[in-house]
Amino acid sequence: MNMTPDQLDSVYITLCETADSAGEADESEFLTRLVLLLALDVGDPEVIRRRINEARMPVAARRTG
Amino acid sequence: MTAAGPDVLIVGAGPTGLVTALGLAQRGIRCEIVDADRGIATGSRALGISRRTLQILDTLGVSAACLEKGVPWVGSRSYYRDQEVFYLELPEEPDEAFPAMLNLAQEDVVRILLEQIDKTVPDLVGIRWNTRLESLQVTADQVQVQLDTLDGPTKMTAPWLVACDGARSTVRERLGIRLEGESWNTRYVIVDVRLHSDHPAERRAWFDPPSNPGSTVLMHRQPDDVWRLDYQVDDEEVDADNLVSHVVTRVREHLDHIGETGPMEVVWTSTYRARALSAPTYRHGRALLSGDAAHLIPIFGIRGLNSAVEDANNLSWKIAAVIHDRASDALLDTYSTERRAAAHTNLALTTRATLLMSPPTRGYELLRRALLGLVAEGHDEFCPLLNPRQTGTVGHPDSVLHTPSGSSEVGPGIGDVYPDARVCTAEGERGYLSSHLGRRTTLVVFADVPMPMDVPFDVEVVTITQKTRSHLENRSGQVLVDAGNTYTRWKVQPGDVVLVRPDGHIAGAWRYPDATAVAAGIARLQRKEAP
Ligand SMILES: Cc1cc2nc3c(=O)[nH]c(=O)nc-3n(C[C@H](O)[C@H](O)[C@H](O)COP(=O)(O)OP(=O)(O)OC[C@H]3O[C@@H](n4cnc5c(N)ncnc54)[C@H](O)[C@@H]3O)c2cc1C
């Protein structure tokens, strides 16, 4: 991860905007497709598994209902 | 007031108008300020004064008064729900004369500026309160205005007019200039409370705090045990009538929650909606727009008053040069292009801060929740996204006034503000470069050996040497000795020459230049043909 703060910022904004334009109904599918595509770029199943683990919501933060 | 009538009529006695007046008067220009109000406006407005603003206020002789009253701060702390997730501390900078940020209420800044006008240039600057501009006509050689005063309507003319009449500028409206950009619906209540607390001066931001779930709270220390809270309110939540009382209750809860259980007293409240707008041009012939009259910058980036002061600092030397016939009036077009480009950058930065404060859509909301959650779990890689980026001034990299550096990368960036540094005067007095630059057009000559630069230019010359000044005894202009990292900070070596504008921005830089190259650079800066 060697993005400059500006690059990180621009990725963040692009994600916000694209999630918006996907629309509520297709938002999860868009994000899941993105993850699958990025997984191809990462190419290392160990790394992907570690990130999946990190991305799982901690129990306390889970939204109910 | 002057019998001959002013050279410049300034509409509005807010920070923009007063800084413009002082900058003009310092250059011998007579101004008349009119303001619709009875006197200084009070209430919670600008608070964060940047280092760049302090440098500019220093050239007007009021930095000491501001530093004496204000509260400097270096830290910025962010919380998500119950947890602190990010702390940013600006590094100590011994090479800088001024702190990165100073909290000082806008009304104090205005009062200090007014006192300075009274003390130093009362014969050059007139101020008329209770005087509202109603309409104006801009012709080829003057501006005529219709004013409404306590004694009824009256007229005034002046060769130039600067509109510093704020967000709802009458001048802008009468000239038919429309603001362009974005506005957001989220409401904020700004609350100033008196509260005794030992918490240090720093910026604190709570995202989704227990006291205001789903929203954001900002908190800042002001002088005299006053604290500023910016409180985001969900639109559906409360109607306008009950907004303030609702928020005051929540503020109490918030203070209790962060352990501030002492008595608090509300001293001021107002409501605010963020807007990011700019006029398409800041010049309309002999009328110029400045400060909030020209652009509205969301408050969360702390760049409204600060950029207004930079506008005034950009404009005053240019109007003075045109009035003194030292530059063509095309110089004033560059005020518009330079400051509009700067507003564009300031708007982009503050818009980012605003989007983080109050995500406007589901996508932004989703990403912010993910971001804050990850940072709270220790993913510091994402911390840069929480940096409020309030410091840092905006340069004018593309200005036509500047001589491009070409392939040789000499000196600080063309268009940037000069870097401050520690120096010694000939008398051995220690100080900072900022006491010498940013006032007049100045050639800064970096020399350990005398250079063949004695061609007479109509500019100041400051020579900065790394050795002692003895071998430079016969040089014209001022000689300063580097007492810190001047050469490193300026990215120069002996033999370099840098042209600094009266507003502190770099207009050109050369290595061992011949006099013609420098003369061409100076002519370009004054929008004149090279001799
Ligand atoms: C809650 C809040 C917090 C803020 N915090 C910050 C901050 O921390 N840092 C920062 O840099 N900025 C901040 N700002 C922005 C800052 O307050 C403005 O950018 C600043 O006031 C602009 O100054 P000005 O002189 O251009 O306009 P103003 O201060 O609005 O002054 C305009 C003057 O013109 C007069 N006037 C208006 N119409 C007429 C007329 N027709 N005839 C004659 N006179 C007229 C008015 O009476 C007034 O005195 C904040 C703003 C708000 C609202």
Side-chain angles (χ1 to χ4, degrees):
Chain A
M1 250 254 310
N2 285 323
M3 278 191 275
T4 66
D6 279 346
Q7 289 172 329
L8 185 61
D9 204 68
S10 122
V11 167
Y12 181 85
I13 295 292
T14 309
L15 281 171
C16 294
E17 301 277 344
T18 320
D20 269 340
S21 63
E24 201 171 331
D26 291 328
E27 183 185 272
S28 312
E29 192 170 337
F30 153 67
L31 290 170
T32 314
R33 285 159 60 99
L34 178 64
V35 168
L36 288 172
L37 289 168
L38 289 175
L40 291 181
D41 293 327
V42 173
D44 180 342
E46 260 328 293
V47 173
I48 298 169
R49 247 178 243 119
R50 177 162 61 81
R51 290 304 197 194
I52 289 175
N53 230 1
E54 285 171 358
R56 278 168 53 198
M57 302 280 286
V59 179
R62 259 180 231 159
R63 304 221 149 195
T64 46
Chain B
M1 230 213 293
T2 44
D7 300 313
V8 180
L9 175 64
I10 295 171
V11 188
T16 314
L18 297 174
V19 170
T20 307
L22 270 172
L24 286 169
Q26 268 189 346
R27 299 178 168 88
I29 305 293
R30 286 165 304 140
C31 329
E32 192 74 22
I33 309 176
V34 296
D35 196 292
D37 229 324
R38 269 174 298 152
I40 300 182
T42 53
S44 40
R45 297 192 67 187
L47 178 60
I49 307 292
S50 70
R51 168 179 293 146
R52 180 64 194 134
T53 294
L54 287 167
Q55 288 172 350
I56 293 168
L57 295 176
D58 188 61
T59 69
L60 305 174
V62 296
S63 63
C66 293
L67 289 169
E68 193 185 321
K69 176 87 187 169
V71 186
W73 54 278
V74 292
S76 175
R77 225 177 266 280
S78 301
Y79 303 81
Y80 179 42
R81 299 187 176 150
D82 251 348
Q83 191 184 341
E84 179 179 328
V85 293
F86 174 53
Y87 178 63
L88 174 81
E89 189 172 299
L90 304 171
E92 248 183 72
E93 292 164 291
D95 292 308
E96 297 282 355
F98 300 103
M101 274 292 172
L102 186 78
N103 278 354
L104 178 64
Q106 180 163 332
E107 60 178 282
D108 287 322
V109 177
V110 166
R111 183 182 42 73
I112 288 167
L113 290 167
L114 278 170
E115 284 168 8
Q116 182 72 351
I117 289 176
D118 269 356
K119 210 161 51 185
T120 58
V121 285
D123 46 335
L124 287 171
V125 180
I127 303 182
R128 301 187 195 181
W129 301 105
N130 290 307
T131 305
R132 169 180 294 278
L133 176 136
E134 290 293 340
S135 58
L136 76 165
Q137 292 80 40
V138 184
T139 62
D141 48 12
Q142 67 174 26
V143 183
Q144 182 172 73
V145 301
Q146 285 72 47
L147 303 171
D148 196 21
T149 74
L150 294 180
D151 304 324
T154 175
K155 284 188 184 3
M156 205 195 287
T157 57
W160 299 96
L161 177 141
V162 187
C164 310
D165 51 348
R168 274 179 242 130
S169 170
T170 313
V171 174
R172 187 184 69 222
E173 190 207 313
R174 293 287 190 271
L175 293 175
I177 300 173
R178 281 169 167 272
L179 296 179
E180 301 164 351
E182 272 184 285
S183 316
W184 294 274
N185 279 330
T186 311
R187 287 179 299 178
Y188 293 86
V189 177
I190 317 287
V191 191
D192 286 346
V193 299
R194 197 178 307 282
L195 166 86
H196 180 76
S197 163
D198 295 325
H199 195 88
E202 57 184 16
R203 174 189 195 267
R204 281 181 286 175
W206 288 267
F207 299 104
D208 197 12
S211 65
N212 196 22
S215 290
T216 307
V217 180
L218 284 182
M219 191 168 169
H220 267 292
R221 180 192 276 280
Q222 305 186 53
D224 306 326
D225 274 344
V226 174
W227 294 80
R228 160 75 49 89
L229 288 109
D230 296 349
Y231 207 94
Q232 184 194 336
V233 186
D234 272 344
D235 243 0
E236 312 88 73
E237 195 180 17
V238 229
D239 56 72
D241 295 343
N242 299 320
L243 197 57
V244 171
S245 68
H246 165 87
V247 166
V248 169
T249 318
R250 291 285 196 84
V251 164
R252 183 68 264 178
E253 282 168 27
H254 180 72
L255 293 176
D256 288 342
H257 185 79
I258 62 171
E260 299 286 4
T261 49
M264 91 169 186
E265 176 203 344
V266 175
V267 289
W268 189 272
T269 61
S270 58
T271 57
Y272 175 80
R273 270 182 222 269
R275 289 175 292 172
L277 304 170
S278 169
T281 170
Y282 300 167
R283 179 173 183 198
H284 186 100
R286 291 181 164 268
L288 298 124
L289 303 181
S290 194
D292 277 15
H295 43 70
L296 287 175
I297 306 204
I299 60 176
F300 308 112
I302 315 202
R303 286 172 186 267
L305 179 144
N306 290 314
S307 69
V309 168
E310 291 181 70
D311 285 350
N313 184 50
N314 186 297
L315 182 56
S316 44
W317 71 270
K318 291 179 180 173
I319 299 190
V322 171
I323 291 177
H324 287 143
D325 219 9
R326 273 198 258 102
S328 96
D329 89 88
L331 187 59
L332 296 173
D333 291 331
T334 69
Y335 160 72
S336 181
T337 47
E338 288 179 354
R339 292 310 301 163
R340 232 186 72 80
H344 198 79
T345 307
N346 283 321
L347 287 170
L349 288 168
T350 51
T351 295
R352 281 289 294 112
T354 308
L355 294 174
L356 194 65
M357 282 284 293
S358 40
T361 57
R362 192 182 151 89
Y364 280 89
E365 169 64 37
L366 179 68
L367 265 289
R368 190 184 81 164
R369 218 162 60 216
L371 165 69
L372 289 167
L374 286 168
V375 172
E377 286 153 33
H379 287 281
D380 293 347
E381 310 91 297
F382 294 107
C383 282
L385 292 168
L386 295 180
N387 184 343
R389 289 190 285 182
Q390 295 175 319
T391 53
T393 171
V394 178
H396 306 306
D398 304 319
S399 177
V400 294
L401 297 179
H402 304 158
T403 305
S405 57
S407 52
S408 65
E409 290 283 308
V410 179
I414 300 293
D416 286 353
V417 176
Y418 71 85
D420 204 357
R422 283 171 292 170
V423 290
C424 265
T425 64
E427 292 73 36
E429 204 177 304
R430 285 178 163 270
Y432 289 90
L433 259 183
S434 50
S435 310
H436 304 275
L437 297 182
R439 287 145 172 92
R440 290 164 294 275
T441 305
T442 305
L443 265 187
V444 184
V445 179
F446 292 88
D448 286 345
V449 288
M451 296 209 313
M453 284 289 300
D454 40 27
V455 183
F457 297 115
D458 182 20
V459 297
E460 303 278 314
V461 178
V462 170
T463 302
I464 302 179
T465 163
Q466 283 181 303
K467 304 203 178 119
T468 55
R469 66 180 297 276
S470 53
H471 60 288
L472 296 169
E473 208 80 274
N474 303 322
R475 297 188 63 90
S476 58
Q478 185 161 25
V479 177
L480 298 171
V481 182
D482 176 21
N485 307 306
T486 315
Y487 276 58
T488 327
R489 285 170 66 78
W490 282 63
K491 302 195 190 78
V492 290
Q493 61 190 50
D496 289 351
V497 174
V498 180
L499 178 62
V500 183
R501 303 172 14 159
D503 55 19
H505 289 260
I506 308 283
W510 300 268
R511 182 150 291 164
Y512 280 114
D514 57 39
T516 5
V518 177
I522 294 170
R524 186 176 179 130
L525 175 57
Q526 295 168 342
R527 297 303 271 155
K528 277 193 177 153
E529 293 305 311

mmCIF file of all heavy atoms in Angstrom, chain A residues 12 19-21 41 43-44 54 56 60:
data_model
loop_
_atom_site.group_PDB
_atom_site.id
_atom_site.type_symbol
_atom_site.label_atom_id
_atom_site.label_comp_id
_atom_site.label_asym_id
_atom_site.label_seq_id
_atom_site.Cartn_x
_atom_site.Cartn_y
_atom_site.Cartn_z
ATOM 1 N N TYR A 12 -10.992 7.015 -2.424
ATOM 2 C CA TYR A 12 -12.112 7.068 -1.473
ATOM 3 C C TYR A 12 -13.320 7.755 -2.102
ATOM 4 O O TYR A 12 -14.441 7.246 -2.075
ATOM 5 C CB TYR A 12 -11.642 7.803 -0.215
ATOM 6 C CG TYR A 12 -12.676 7.928 0.881
ATOM 7 C CD1 TYR A 12 -12.863 6.897 1.793
ATOM 8 C CD2 TYR A 12 -13.441 9.086 1.011
ATOM 9 C CE1 TYR A 12 -13.798 7.021 2.814
ATOM 10 C CE2 TYR A 12 -14.375 9.205 2.025
ATOM 11 C CZ TYR A 12 -14.555 8.177 2.925
ATOM 12 O OH TYR A 12 -15.481 8.299 3.931
ATOM 13 N N ALA A 19 -20.515 3.966 -5.453
ATOM 14 C CA ALA A 19 -21.510 3.275 -4.630
ATOM 15 C C ALA A 19 -22.851 3.991 -4.771
ATOM 16 O O ALA A 19 -23.903 3.359 -4.898
ATOM 17 C CB ALA A 19 -21.066 3.246 -3.167
ATOM 18 N N ASP A 20 -22.800 5.329 -4.790
ATOM 19 C CA ASP A 20 -24.025 6.103 -4.977
ATOM 20 C C ASP A 20 -24.678 5.806 -6.308
ATOM 21 O O ASP A 20 -25.885 5.594 -6.403
ATOM 22 C CB ASP A 20 -23.713 7.608 -4.917
ATOM 23 C CG ASP A 20 -23.859 8.136 -3.501
ATOM 24 O OD1 ASP A 20 -24.545 7.477 -2.703
ATOM 25 O OD2 ASP A 20 -23.287 9.202 -3.220
ATOM 26 N N SER A 21 -23.869 5.775 -7.357
ATOM 27 C CA SER A 21 -24.482 5.633 -8.682
ATOM 28 C C SER A 21 -24.947 4.196 -8.910
ATOM 29 O O SER A 21 -25.826 3.956 -9.728
ATOM 30 C CB SER A 21 -23.535 6.123 -9.776
ATOM 31 O OG SER A 21 -22.390 5.325 -9.798
ATOM 32 N N ASP A 41 -6.212 -9.077 -8.624
ATOM 33 C CA ASP A 41 -4.992 -8.262 -8.623
ATOM 34 C C ASP A 41 -4.056 -8.653 -7.481
ATOM 35 O O ASP A 41 -2.848 -8.684 -7.646
ATOM 36 C CB ASP A 41 -5.336 -6.776 -8.495
ATOM 37 C CG ASP A 41 -6.066 -6.275 -9.723
ATOM 38 O OD1 ASP A 41 -5.769 -6.784 -10.819
ATOM 39 O OD2 ASP A 41 -6.926 -5.394 -9.576
ATOM 40 N N GLY A 43 -3.888 -11.606 -5.883
ATOM 41 C CA GLY A 43 -3.307 -12.860 -6.356
ATOM 42 C C GLY A 43 -2.765 -13.784 -5.278
ATOM 43 O O GLY A 43 -2.299 -14.866 -5.579
ATOM 44 N N ASP A 44 -2.815 -13.387 -4.028
ATOM 45 C CA ASP A 44 -2.246 -14.213 -2.967
ATOM 46 C C ASP A 44 -3.356 -14.620 -2.008
ATOM 47 O O ASP A 44 -3.849 -13.810 -1.229
ATOM 48 C CB ASP A 44 -1.165 -13.399 -2.241
ATOM 49 C CG ASP A 44 -0.522 -14.193 -1.116
ATOM 50 O OD1 ASP A 44 -1.110 -15.211 -0.671
ATOM 51 O OD2 ASP A 44 0.566 -13.778 -0.668
ATOM 52 N N GLU A 54 -10.024 -9.455 8.537
ATOM 53 C CA GLU A 54 -10.000 -8.099 9.084
ATOM 54 C C GLU A 54 -11.276 -7.333 8.751
ATOM 55 O O GLU A 54 -11.714 -6.470 9.506
ATOM 56 C CB GLU A 54 -8.799 -7.318 8.533
ATOM 57 C CG GLU A 54 -7.479 -7.722 9.154
ATOM 58 C CD GLU A 54 -6.297 -7.076 8.434
ATOM 59 O OE1 GLU A 54 -6.510 -6.354 7.439
ATOM 60 O OE2 GLU A 54 -5.177 -7.314 8.865
ATOM 61 N N ARG A 56 -14.251 -8.538 8.449
ATOM 62 C CA ARG A 56 -15.464 -8.990 9.156
ATOM 63 C C ARG A 56 -15.780 -8.026 10.279
ATOM 64 O O ARG A 56 -14.914 -7.586 11.009
ATOM 65 C CB ARG A 56 -15.245 -10.403 9.711
ATOM 66 C CG ARG A 56 -15.464 -11.461 8.656
ATOM 67 C CD ARG A 56 -14.974 -12.803 9.129
ATOM 68 N NE ARG A 56 -15.547 -13.169 10.413
ATOM 69 C CZ ARG A 56 -15.023 -14.110 11.193
ATOM 70 N NH1 ARG A 56 -13.938 -14.743 10.832
ATOM 71 N NH2 ARG A 56 -15.604 -14.399 12.338
ATOM 72 N N ALA A 60 -19.472 -6.151 18.243
ATOM 73 C CA ALA A 60 -20.062 -4.970 18.875
ATOM 74 C C ALA A 60 -20.592 -3.968 17.862
ATOM 75 O O ALA A 60 -21.547 -3.253 18.121
ATOM 76 C CB ALA A 60 -19.020 -4.308 19.766
#
